[in-house]
Amino acid sequence: MTFNQIAATTLFSALLLSAPAAMAQDPQGYGQPPQSAAAAQPADDATVTSFAEAMGEVQVIQQKFSEQLQGVEDNDKARELQMKAQEEMVTAVEASGISVQDYNALASRMDQDPALREKVEKKLQSM
């Protein structure tokens, strides 16, 4: 997986996971600025592994729903598919052992932290 693919996946998933619908479902809101340990501390191997697993699953979900959205002309149907994709992504992230907030914080950090980006790329390649 190239850096551009990783960046596109993290951007898409971060945007999708922080959508207003997620905030409506969770009063704490996923779209708030990260206040988590993941935003402030170096990521340990277990966290990077969980993040990479989640990222891989999010990418699969993204691709599946992207294909389903092609050709959908009904806005309600498109919104329904986007909500379902969002729900599946949240479930996949949480199932990997990382919170959505931490996932989004790490995704954001990858843009500014080449060492973290490299760790994640290596984990993704080894999966």
Side-chain angles (χ1 to χ4, degrees):
M1 179 176 280
T2 67
F3 171 70
N4 287 340
Q5 290 171 316
I6 290 173
T9 300
T10 56
L11 176 62
F12 178 82
S13 60
L15 290 174
L16 190 60
L17 293 175
S18 65
M23 291 180 2
Q25 293 171 0
D26 179 2
Q28 294 173 3
Y30 293 124
Q32 296 177 356
Q35 301 293 324
S36 66
Q41 298 176 2
D44 60 27
D45 284 339
T47 301
V48 170
T49 299
S50 294
F51 176 77
E53 288 173 2
M55 179 182 272
E57 290 298 314
V58 165
Q59 183 178 23
V60 169
I61 294 165
Q62 171 194 356
Q63 190 170 30
K64 176 178 88 172
F65 280 94
S66 178
E67 291 169 3
Q68 289 179 11
L69 279 168
Q70 289 179 353
V72 172
E73 295 179 16
D74 180 9
N75 286 338
D76 290 335
K77 178 67 174 170
R79 222 179 336 265
E80 181 182 317
L81 284 171
Q82 290 169 340
M83 294 284 287
K84 188 168 175 32
Q86 177 184 329
E87 290 171 9
E88 286 190 26
M89 287 183 197
V90 168
T91 300
V93 167
E94 291 172 345
S96 73
I98 189 170
S99 72
V100 172
Q101 184 177 4
D102 285 350
Y103 178 89
N104 285 339
L106 287 167
S108 295
R109 272 189 46 203
M110 282 182 57
D111 290 337
Q112 280 84 37
D113 188 343
L116 175 61
R117 183 172 47 247
E118 185 176 331
K119 283 172 97 173
V120 171
E121 287 174 352
K122 285 181 181 177
K123 288 289 183 189
L124 285 168
Q125 290 172 356
S126 70
M127 297 177 125

